[in-house]
Amino acid sequence: MINPLGRTPSLNALRAFEVASRHLNFRLAGLELGVTQGAVAQQIRALEAELGLKLFERHPRTLALTQNGQRYVIGVRRAFETLAQATQGLCPEPQHLTISVTPTFATKWLMPRLGDYTRAYPGMDFRILATERLSHFHTEAVDLAVRYGRPPFGPGLQADLLFDECLVAVGHPHTAGENAPHVLVHDSQSSWDQYFEQCRPQAREAAAQGIWFNQTTLAIDAALIGQGIALVQRDFVAQDLAAGRLVQVFPQEMRTDAGYYLVCPRKQRQPEAVADVRRWLGAVGRQASA
């Protein structure tokens, strides 16, 4: 009998290909799928053999999609999205939205405001995916994301500004005066060199002792316990400043042309619910920055 669907490779192999195309690493793909690195590599080799095409270029530390792989993954992702939508239509889940944010945004800005959201939308579950990596809207069922930078963020995406970047130097209230030596707390985003160059050229502290963290929330926590002064987004420490847990050590603020944006696909699975959250977050962002 002729297969009415035509030639269709193994779904397991296609899933391994889609996951590996996002991570560009067989080990990380295996972690997401719950299998070994070798099992992923074997699925990819079998898929390439069946198609008679090379989908990945293998490099010592990473992978790269070939031109054929880049073309193929678009259709494969669309097919998995269609399967997910068909399953959801047959077995609908309770209504929920998933938002992807960084751990710092989640802990220092979003969590203190979640009570307002749950009271305003009691019938909606709000799922927060806190990660430093860039989440994929379709393959990870993410409805919205907060991203730092400058638009545009990609084709088919719309972006609403939550607040502009405004960096302030903060420390514990017992921190020494602004002319005293300081321990500078660094994170993956702040730039003390740029701050002193633009805002305090006569008081440059390039040789000051430093502490480095890979996340802004850790830099803020270090400042809160008096380990040094951190250069951070003002909105992330507004409540600590208002409560007196932190003080602004230097009066100058550094503004850039970047900002924090609420990003979502133009084509939504739940357009009305997403529109509600966009309005709520937008209103909260404007109120917090006022």
Side-chain angles (χ1 to χ4, degrees):
M1 175 180 279
I2 297 175
N3 183 356
L5 298 179
R7 181 183 177 189
T8 306
S10 158
L11 282 179
N12 287 337
L14 291 174
R15 184 59 177 160
F17 166 62
E18 191 281 323
V19 174
S21 73
R22 286 190 276 110
H23 293 288
L24 295 178
N25 183 292
F26 287 157
R27 182 183 65 82
L28 295 178
L31 289 175
E32 180 175 331
L33 293 169
V35 300
T36 65
Q37 174 179 342
V40 175
Q42 184 177 3
Q43 291 276 19
I44 299 300
R45 285 196 298 270
L47 179 61
E48 290 177 325
E50 181 175 354
L51 297 174
L53 297 169
K54 194 174 183 181
L55 300 174
F56 289 102
E57 296 288 351
R58 276 74 165 174
H59 301 294
R61 295 182 180 274
T62 187
L63 302 169
L65 285 166
T66 63
Q67 287 188 344
N68 286 324
Q70 292 173 11
R71 291 169 49 206
Y72 194 40
V73 76
I74 295 173
V76 170
R77 285 178 180 163
R78 189 181 302 119
F80 277 115
E81 182 182 357
T82 300
L83 285 172
Q85 290 173 346
T87 304
Q88 185 178 9
L90 185 65
C91 305
E93 297 180 355
Q95 194 174 27
H96 68 267
L97 286 178
T98 299
I99 183 169
S100 172
V101 297
T102 64
T104 297
F105 189 93
T107 57
K108 301 301 182 182
W109 195 90
L110 186 57
M111 284 177 60
R113 298 170 169 86
L114 282 178
D116 294 337
Y117 172 82
T118 56
R119 286 188 292 270
Y121 302 96
M124 175 68 69
D125 288 342
F126 202 28
R127 301 184 179 183
I128 300 168
L129 178 62
T131 176
E132 294 287 356
R133 67 178 178 82
L134 199 64
S135 297
H136 294 263
F137 287 101
H138 297 301
T139 58
E140 297 179 71
V142 171
D143 298 289
L144 301 128
V146 174
R147 292 184 178 172
Y148 165 81
R150 306 165 185 83
F153 292 96
L157 300 178
Q158 58 188 31
D160 303 316
L161 178 66
L162 288 177
F163 43 80
D164 294 312
E165 182 172 43
C166 176
L167 300 176
V168 293
V170 297
H172 189 274
H174 295 158
T175 301
E178 65 174 82
N179 294 322
H182 295 101
V183 174
L184 302 183
V185 181
H186 302 257
D187 61 61
S188 59
Q189 192 166 306
S190 63
S191 172
W192 276 111
D193 288 340
Q194 184 181 358
Y195 177 81
F196 282 113
E197 181 179 344
Q198 292 186 14
C199 302
R200 295 176 60 82
Q202 304 304 319
R204 190 175 182 86
E205 301 194 18
Q209 187 177 4
I211 303 175
W212 277 260
F213 294 98
N214 68 330
Q215 291 185 2
T216 303
T217 188
L218 299 177
I220 295 172
D221 289 345
L224 280 165
I225 61 175
Q227 297 298 320
I229 59 174
L231 183 65
V232 295
Q233 172 66 27
R234 182 184 58 189
D235 298 82
F236 294 160
V237 293
Q239 293 184 340
D240 292 316
L241 289 170
R245 292 185 293 268
L246 288 173
V247 296
Q248 191 167 331
V249 180
F250 305 138
Q252 297 87 354
E253 299 177 345
M254 185 172 79
R255 295 182 179 272
T256 72
D257 60 350
Y260 290 81
Y261 289 81
L262 182 63
V263 181
C264 64
R266 296 187 186 279
K267 183 179 179 181
Q268 279 290 336
R269 295 178 298 126
Q270 305 179 80
E272 293 183 4
V274 168
D276 288 339
V277 176
R278 288 176 61 200
R279 282 193 295 269
W280 174 73
L281 280 175
V284 173
R286 289 189 296 272
Q287 181 181 7
S289 298

